[in-house]
Amino acid sequence: MSRLHRARTRLRALITGAILVPVLAGTTAVVSTGAAHAATPGGAPWVVSVGDSYISGEAGRWAGNTNDSSSEIDALGPTAYYDNPGHTAETIPRCHRSQSAEIYIGGGVNGLNLACSGAETATYTDSGNFKPGLDFYNSGGNQGQALMLQNFAATHKVTMVAVSIGGNDFNFSSIVTTCVEDFLTTPSWWPSYCSQDSSVTGNFSASNVATVTTHIAQALQNVHQAMANDGYADGDYTILVQNYPSPIPNGSGFRYSQSGFTRQSTGGCGFWDNDANWANGTALPTISGAVSNAVAQSGLSNVRKLDISSAFNGRRLCENTVGLLEEKGLSSWTNPGAVNQTEWVNQIRTVTTIGSSPYYIQESLHPDYWGQLALRSCVRQACNNGAVRGGSCTIAGAGLDGNGDPVMSLH
């Protein structure tokens, strides 16, 4: 076995074993029909996030990317995902509810993050790690996110619930695994494209899209039911549903050639050009369409849609408009202008997560610290001082705004 072949085999094992989100495990959902309260709670307003890794704050520890010391991009330190009251541990291991998560909009509005990295519409268990879905699961002290929301909203004035769900129901992590594996194990003169692999394309068949859309719609109805169980009328709060941002550019926008292994070994973005074009032109629009159609299918009147599909354009992983810290002559994420020159999406990491590394493979291809703060600005603008509105959010300028977040515009 050649050295190159051994390296490829090792990388395949790492990617498949760590990025892949397991198949739904058998769980029992318990629907709560708790008695409605006579009136909703008073006090200061709260906004709550439920859903998956794209709203939980996954990868929010890291500000940009580097292949040098991790300390250069460590914005939040080793306690970044500690969300228990004393910030000493995770409430649910590997949910990765980051302190930079978008729901903490400030301005006199309290935020609660109930989302969990890896979550699907329904609750399941991943290699012993509990992954609460947007349901009323209740067993052995573990609860689904809809039940968590219901319990919290019973005693706190919740004015908005932000939702990100559906990506894992389309097997997002499995798709990434296949795309990176194909890039690493086939040559540029005879590439194997994940966008032509039946294990990938099957996720986007008409029947599966319809199934996932129905699941998302049910998840939204569960959020509504949780609030109704606490006596909330539709006019008392708003459900803000977001889709997913593009994490990589089209093929022509990469700053690394697809020949050789530099695109992955240096940039951490191992996609063939054709697969990147497919991801942006087919996969993401299909997922976003399912989310949008699920909103309509849910029949709920108090829902607004937040389109973040283009929110990172210009700051995406391996995009030719930004770079690694060392490529831009920066020594730290705190250097002036770092937010404009570095990436807002975390690298796809494999061997760099081995041993005592502070990196997790599950952080791969998620919004980093800058990306999380950019989304926070989008959510703050959508919250709109209580008059929640939808729209599309994009980069609107350089530097940081008065809240210390990247300059974004909701339009």
Side-chain angles (χ1 to χ4, degrees), residues 246-312:
S246 166
I248 56 173
N250 287 329
S252 61
F254 281 89
R255 63 178 183 270
Y256 307 110
S257 169
Q258 65 175 346
S259 298
F261 295 100
T262 303
R263 185 170 285 186
Q264 176 59 32
S265 62
T266 300
C269 52
F271 278 72
W272 295 114
D273 286 351
N274 281 3
D275 286 340
N277 293 340
W278 168 82
N280 284 319
T282 299
L284 283 172
T286 299
I287 296 173
S288 291
V291 172
S292 182
N293 290 336
V295 169
Q297 191 178 117
S298 73
L300 303 177
S301 62
N302 60 334
V303 178
R304 301 292 182 270
K305 293 184 288 187
L306 177 61
D307 180 7
I308 58 173
S309 58
S310 299
F312 298 159

Side-chain angles (χ1 to χ4, degrees), residues 1-12 184 351:
M1 181 183 292
S2 70
R3 182 177 182 182
L4 177 58
H5 184 68
R6 287 196 301 271
R8 287 178 177 174
T9 301
R10 174 61 175 160
L11 285 170
R12 185 185 299 118
L184 290 173
V351 294

Side-chain angles (χ1 to χ4, degrees), residues 21-207:
V21 173
V23 176
L24 182 68
T27 55
T28 302
V30 179
V31 177
S32 172
T33 57
H37 290 203
T40 57
W46 285 79
V47 292
V48 180
S49 58
V50 296
D52 56 28
S53 56
Y54 270 78
I55 200 168
S56 74
E58 181 69 84
R61 175 178 179 177
W62 311 107
N65 291 302
T66 182
N67 291 323
D68 293 336
S69 172
S70 62
S71 64
E72 296 177 2
I73 58 170
D74 196 352
L76 296 180
T79 64
Y81 304 124
Y82 290 175
D83 66 318
N84 69 0
H87 293 288
T88 57
E90 287 191 86
T91 303
I92 303 175
R94 295 296 184 93
C95 274
H96 281 190
R97 294 167 174 162
S98 172
Q99 295 171 37
S100 60
E102 63 188 65
I103 201 62
Y104 303 122
I105 61 176
V109 179
N110 299 303
L112 176 68
N113 187 0
L114 297 178
C116 184
S117 183
E120 299 180 4
T121 51
T123 294
Y124 72 104
T125 299
D126 168 10
S127 302
N129 291 317
F130 179 66
K131 298 296 179 182
L134 269 63
D135 55 23
F136 294 91
Y137 180 91
N138 190 9
S139 179
N142 291 322
Q143 299 179 345
Q145 292 183 48
L147 184 54
M148 294 181 206
L149 172 64
Q150 177 179 302
N151 292 339
F152 182 80
T155 55
H156 299 80
K157 182 181 179 180
V158 175
T159 58
M160 186 181 78
V161 182
V163 181
S164 170
I165 201 67
N168 291 321
D169 290 74
F170 278 103
N171 293 315
F172 169 80
S173 294
S174 180
I175 292 169
V176 173
T177 296
T178 302
C179 293
V180 176
E181 180 180 313
D182 284 350
F183 178 81
L184 290 173
T185 59
T186 59
S188 58
W189 45 269
W190 200 315
S192 178
Y193 296 129
C194 66
S195 53
Q196 297 175 0
D197 190 316
S198 60
S199 68
V200 170
T201 58
N203 292 293
F204 301 97
S205 67
S207 61

Side-chain angles (χ1 to χ4, degrees), residues 330-350:
L330 302 172
S331 60
S332 169
W333 70 276
T334 61
N335 289 163
V339 63
N340 307 318
Q341 301 178 62
T342 57
E343 298 155 321
W344 292 2
V345 177
N346 204 50
Q347 287 183 336
I348 301 170
R349 296 189 178 276
T350 54

